[in-house]
Amino acid sequence: MPRPTQARGVSSDASQLASWYASVPAVTRAIVTATITTTIAARLRVISPFMLGLYWPLIWNKFHIWRLLTGFLIHKFNVNLFNTIMMFIMLYQYTADLERGEFAGRTADFAWFIVFCMGAMSAVTWLTQTMCLAEGVLMAVITLWSLHRQEQIVSFYFGFKFPARYLPYVTIALECVLDHGVIPYGMVYGWMAAHLYYYLSVDLPSQGGLNYIPTPQLFYRYIGQVRRANAQTTSSGSATTSNLYHQRPGGGHFWGTGRTMG
């Protein structure tokens, strides 16, 4: 029977863990939890990984609709465990950093970014039949993160430092090396999806064009939107537009610090 002090210590640790988990931003918490749970379940063969991959013939012919979601939650099961764990860590770090930074108070907008990238990647996999796309979601997040911090210095494995704009390419190259020269097409698709999102929602509007992919009202209705705590206000008390939408790289707020990996 555990001593009272030991029981209190276990209870305190559990309480701290629960508090930390509750403090993780909503979209990050959902994505990371679902990805870890799905990938581990597939690795332990609790459920066959072949029932989870994004495979279009079965979606159309057998109505395996769940694959449209689970295909983005499962990491490649033919890679080593270390690679999978590092994917989990990076997914949490960069997703949380974006949601607390550029998307602070904009949960619905961040959820739309993730869904848009999933949709864009789905369209590409129609032709290539790539089934496991958790690494594509990771790369989409890393790419958008780097686009907002292009000149920020990041530290990668073994203390290797470089500007953030090169982070997606270094990550793809490393994944290719770790996978014995196999091109990580899922990551390439995520990179493409994030660049498309950034161009349509940030670059084009900043040049006087329209935002062709605004967040659907359905997301605001069911996810909600909270104004940034430090958003500037006009004399009437309404928040200015510049603080409620994407900031241009090199300016703006909530940039955070570089991530040290490894």
Side-chain angles (χ1 to χ4, degrees), residues 64-77:
H64 288 190
I65 305 300
W66 65 85
R67 292 176 182 272
L68 292 171
L69 175 62
T70 58
F72 294 96
L73 301 177
I74 182 173
H75 191 229
K76 293 182 298 186
F77 45 86

Side-chain angles (χ1 to χ4, degrees), residues 104-211:
R106 299 170 51 212
T107 305
D109 291 336
F110 190 52
W112 169 238
F113 159 68
I114 297 295
V115 171
F116 173 84
C117 288
M118 286 181 174
M121 285 186 279
S122 294
V124 177
T125 59
W126 174 276
L127 302 174
T128 63
Q129 301 299 329
T130 304
M131 296 178 62
C132 301
L133 288 161
E135 62 179 15
V137 175
L138 169 63
M139 183 48 59
V141 170
I142 288 177
T143 299
L144 189 63
W145 187 93
S146 67
L147 285 170
H148 281 286
R149 299 162 172 79
Q150 295 191 37
E151 300 305 322
Q152 181 175 316
I153 301 300
V154 297
S155 182
F156 208 60
Y157 291 103
F158 312 113
F160 182 45
K161 296 182 179 181
F162 49 86
R165 65 177 177 271
Y166 298 119
L167 181 59
Y169 310 106
V170 173
T171 305
I172 291 174
L174 178 62
E175 178 70 15
C176 184
V177 171
L178 293 176
D179 205 11
H180 309 290
V182 177
I183 297 175
Y185 287 105
M187 283 191 168
V188 175
Y189 302 152
W191 175 85
M192 294 168 57
H195 271 281
L196 180 61
Y197 174 88
Y198 188 82
Y199 175 73
L200 294 175
S201 68
V202 180
D203 267 350
L204 198 59
S206 72
Q207 298 168 11
L210 297 175
N211 179 358

Side-chain angles (χ1 to χ4, degrees), residues 223-247:
I223 299 176
Q225 196 80 315
V226 181
R227 194 181 71 179
R228 286 182 175 179
N230 71 334
Q232 298 177 2
T233 57
T234 61
S235 58
S236 62
S238 60
T240 57
T241 302
S242 62
N243 273 340
L244 294 176
Y245 293 87
H246 290 283
Q247 302 294 330

